[in-house]
Amino acid sequence: MQQFSRRNFIATAGIAAGASLLKGCSLGNPPSPTSMSPKADTMSLSPATTPEVTSVKLGYIAIAESAPLIIAKEKGFFDRHGMFDVTVSKQASWGAARDNIEIGSSGGGIDGGQWQMPMPQLISEGLITKGGRKIPMLSMAQLSTQGNGIAVASQHTGKGFGPDLSGAADYIKGLKEAGTPFKAAYTFPRVNQDFWIRYWLAAGGVDPNKHVDLIAVPAAQTVASMRTGSMDGFSTGDPWPSRIMRDKRKFGFMAVLTAQIWPAHPEEYFAMREEWVNKHPKAAKAILKGIMEAQIWCDDPKNRVEMAAILGQRKYFNVPSDLLVGPYVGEYTLGDRREVVKNEAYAIRYWKDARGSVSYPYKSHDLWFLTESVRWGFLPQSALDNADRIINAVSGEKYWREAAQELGIAAADIPKSTSRGIERFFDGAEFNPEKPKAYLDSLRIKNLKA
Ligand code: CA
């Protein structure tokens, strides 16, 4: 990103001072230009790129997926694009984030932030909001790929819980028949974690609707819930799966990494209220540019130790920073007498992965989440007939492209298509975005609703 550094210092300082004074007007507390930290290495802003407002409130969940938002704030990447007053606000749970986007920052909530998929679509359609209220959202960037895992309680050690679950299928079915069903948890129903755990169970011949009990547990409570025995397995983001392996009480082990289930799988997204974006399109792109620069920074190996130290702070994840280093290099202790996995290919990625762009929000991935929602009966099969409408209404990919161009991202790093093409899973299944119904037909375990 050398081309943006300290270009024309005088002009830059002038803009930073002007923006600071502008900020002072609204807050009545003008910081002097000299108080701008050296990190506020502001890009030259033109009338076409100067944001309409300098403040916004973005929600995040204390898991590794949120790193680009926290790093953009802490390393001054939002400031560089004139967004001097970004608040990154920790959300107690996905349900709290959903409630806060519903009220918006004017009501004490948030304007946007981090989401599991397809929460932006579900909120836009009024399917998970209070009273079915539709809050149109725009999904404008993907924050990360990979970096999640499924943990299983120690009492199930030696029963065949691994990436391929088929050896444990009869054991799991037996637990249900005995009246002590395997309780599998996700952090919010009908989104990523629910999909990962269902996909893994079904691939191993376990029907998530018949053979286990599925429950929702907030990410921050997953470890405690497993320790107290109120759940048998859970799916969540780093660093929580790794945390159980670190615990001396040895109450759980890692059955599978999501990167093993679906290499380079889409994970969490950045989305905002559409109303806010329509009112402040330049500010929305400034936020996106800050996020993109943060994503590039996060993927640079030389920044990982600093990143772990920033994220581990009490105000953010409140965990020992060394707990975060493993996931960043793809090193996971699995337990259940299996080896330590040390493979960079399993690490969480923020900007680029083995399939290309991480940050760009592919419509083909929106379609997979929609198709998987149909697979489990969360949405009727007719949702696939309306897929284009549902996806296009929420896709903010055009903002991503404009922001990437304004930032000077190399053409090679800007996807040519809104589709990433065919996706391949660990059990041999294939998702061709051109033929979502063929994917559904190929899956043995499903729960389609008319
Ligand atoms: Ca996640």
Side-chain angles (χ1 to χ4, degrees):
M1 304 311 291
Q2 203 56 39
Q3 67 267 36
F4 303 126
S5 301
R6 294 178 178 77
R7 83 153 73 125
N8 195 340
F9 174 77
I10 303 294
T12 295
I15 287 154
S20 294
L21 291 172
L22 194 68
K23 167 175 116 173
C25 291
S26 58
L27 298 179
N29 182 24
S32 75
T34 51
S35 77
M36 294 297 297
S37 98
K39 72 185 178 184
D41 193 4
T42 319
M43 271 187 80
S44 299
L45 297 171
S46 70
T49 57
T50 303
E52 301 86 349
V53 285
T54 62
S55 70
V56 68
K57 200 166 167 193
L58 306 175
Y60 77 92
I61 298 281
I63 47 178
E65 290 88 327
S66 65
L69 299 176
I70 293 167
I71 294 298
K73 169 74 184 173
E74 287 286 320
K75 297 297 291 180
F77 294 122
F78 287 137
D79 298 299
R80 280 163 51 78
H81 301 285
M83 294 304 293
F84 299 105
D85 298 303
V86 177
T87 302
V88 289
S89 168
K90 193 192 284 196
Q91 307 293 300
S93 65
W94 292 106
R98 181 264 327 268
D99 294 343
N100 281 327
I101 198 73
E102 198 168 342
I103 55 180
S105 68
S106 58
I110 54 177
D111 304 301
Q114 169 194 0
W115 303 99
Q116 293 196 74
M117 288 300 276
M119 287 182 86
Q121 282 82 0
L122 296 174
I123 292 167
S124 292
E125 299 282 318
L127 295 174
I128 55 171
T129 50
K130 286 198 183 81
R133 190 173 156 221
K134 293 184 180 184
I135 313 285
M137 303 273 294
L138 281 178
S139 173
M140 296 190 288
Q142 179 170 228
L143 293 172
S144 63
T145 57
Q146 309 194 140
N148 283 237
I150 296 171
V152 170
S154 290
Q155 67 188 93
H156 306 297
T157 300
K159 304 293 185 188
F161 285 86
D164 176 3
L165 189 63
S166 51
D170 286 343
Y171 168 72
I172 294 171
K173 291 173 193 173
L175 289 173
K176 181 81 175 187
E177 282 158 18
T180 54
F182 186 90
K183 289 197 286 298
Y186 40 75
T187 48
F188 193 84
R190 307 181 176 204
V191 298
N192 291 49
Q193 306 300 343
D194 194 356
F195 292 138
W196 304 147
I197 204 156
R198 283 170 182 269
Y199 195 99
W200 172 67
L201 290 166
V206 175
D207 188 333
N209 283 41
K210 289 184 188 147
H211 304 137
V212 299
D213 282 1
L214 289 162
I215 55 173
V217 175
Q221 288 168 30
T222 47
V223 169
S225 297
M226 181 167 280
R227 206 173 55 228
T228 57
S230 55
M231 70 184 188
D232 299 291
F234 74 93
S235 168
T236 188
D238 287 318
W240 304 103
S242 310
R243 248 189 120 162
I244 69 158
M245 291 311 303
R246 184 72 71 88
D247 198 290
K248 288 190 183 67
R249 288 161 289 190
K250 299 290 171 212
F251 53 85
F253 62 91
M254 292 296 292
V256 63
L257 306 173
T258 52
Q260 295 174 309
I261 295 174
W262 180 5
H265 69 81
E267 187 51 38
E268 286 170 21
Y269 285 68
F270 172 70
M272 300 191 74
R273 285 172 68 115
E274 186 177 28
E275 184 187 27
W276 196 95
V277 177
N278 287 344
K279 218 166 143 188
H280 319 103
K282 288 184 277 188
K285 279 188 275 180
I287 294 166
L288 279 177
K289 286 181 270 187
I291 290 173
M292 289 178 189
E293 288 194 283
Q295 289 182 297
I296 293 166
W297 189 93
C298 288
D299 263 4
D300 187 338
K302 75 175 189 314
N303 295 328
R304 287 200 182 113
V305 172
E306 183 183 353
M307 171 163 60
I310 291 170
L311 298 177
Q313 290 174 75
R314 177 179 284 271
K315 65 175 170 172
Y316 293 121
F317 296 3
N318 195 21
V319 297
S321 66
D322 64 325
L323 197 65
L324 290 155
V325 173
Y328 286 138
V329 295
E331 185 177 325
Y332 292 91
T333 304
L334 298 174
D336 196 13
R337 293 166 302 192
R338 284 173 301 142
E339 292 162 28
V340 172
V341 164
K342 211 171 184 178
N343 186 343
E344 186 104 22
Y346 292 147
I348 186 167
R349 303 296 300 175
Y350 296 104
W351 177 245
K352 276 200 234 184
D353 63 19
R355 293 291 304 274
S357 179
V358 167
S359 180
Y360 175 74
Y362 284 103
K363 289 186 186 179
S364 61
H365 291 160
D366 296 341
L367 181 61
W368 183 82
F369 285 108
L370 198 65
T371 307
E372 205 67 4
S373 303
V374 169
R375 175 187 184 182
W376 298 117
F378 303 154
L379 294 174
Q381 292 178 63
S382 60
L384 282 183
D385 302 326
N386 300 319
D388 285 350
R389 178 191 65 76
I390 296 168
I391 290 168
N392 289 334
V394 179
S395 177
E397 65 95 28
K398 107 183 161 73
Y399 288 95
W400 190 95
R401 288 181 186 281
E402 289 174 17
Q405 263 153 22
E406 287 175 16
L407 196 53
I409 296 299
D413 291 342
I414 301 179
K416 306 262 182 302
S417 169
T418 60
S419 170
R420 198 172 73 167
I422 292 173
E423 304 291 345
R424 293 183 174 86
F425 298 80
F426 76 138
D427 59 339
E430 268 190 15
F431 175 74
N432 180 345
E434 305 290 321
K435 301 172 185 167
K437 284 177 180 157
Y439 165 81
L440 281 179
D441 289 343
S442 76
L443 298 165
R444 207 161 41 88
I445 297 179
K446 54 200 163 197
N447 186 28
L448 303 178
K449 294 268 166 69

